[in-house]
Amino acid sequence: LDIPSDYKVLGCLDGVILLEKNGCFGYMNSKGQWITNPLYKSASDFVEGLAVVSEEKPKIIDRDGNTVIAEGFDYISGFSNSKCILYSKEHGWYKAVKYFEN
C-alpha cells in the first residue's frame, strides 16, 4: 500500500484503513485509494460496512463514502448486530436497524 508517510494508521477493519493527519481523519480502501479525504474531526472504524464520522455533528457513511444517516443527531453509536442507537436533544432516542438488499 502507498500510505503517505505523514499519515498515521489508526486501524484497519472491514477492509477499510482509518488514517489521521493533524487531527483530521479519513479512509483508504485496501487498494490504497482514498474513500474520503481526511476531513472529519472524529471517525470510527468500519463495522458491518458502516462508520460513524463527524465534522460538526455525527453521521454514518458507507464504504464508498456515501452518507447513510445524515447529520442531525447529537449522538450516534456504532453498529452492532445490524442496529445502532441515535440521540437528538430535540427528539430523544431512536434505534436504527440496518436492512440488507439481495
Side-chain angles (χ1 to χ4, degrees), residues 25-78:
F25 302 87
Y27 297 96
M28 193 176 269
N29 66 22
S30 60
K31 296 178 183 177
Q33 301 164 325
W34 285 105
I35 295 170
T36 65
N37 289 319
L39 52 89
Y40 299 113
K41 292 180 182 178
S42 68
S44 71
D45 285 316
F46 274 80
V47 176
E48 298 184 19
L50 301 170
V52 179
V53 297
S54 176
E55 291 177 70
E56 296 300 321
K57 288 194 169 194
K59 67 179 182 177
I60 295 181
I61 62 170
D62 65 16
R63 282 190 229 148
D64 294 322
N66 300 314
T67 299
V68 175
I69 296 178
E71 293 179 341
F73 292 93
D74 298 295
Y75 169 80
I76 301 176
S77 73

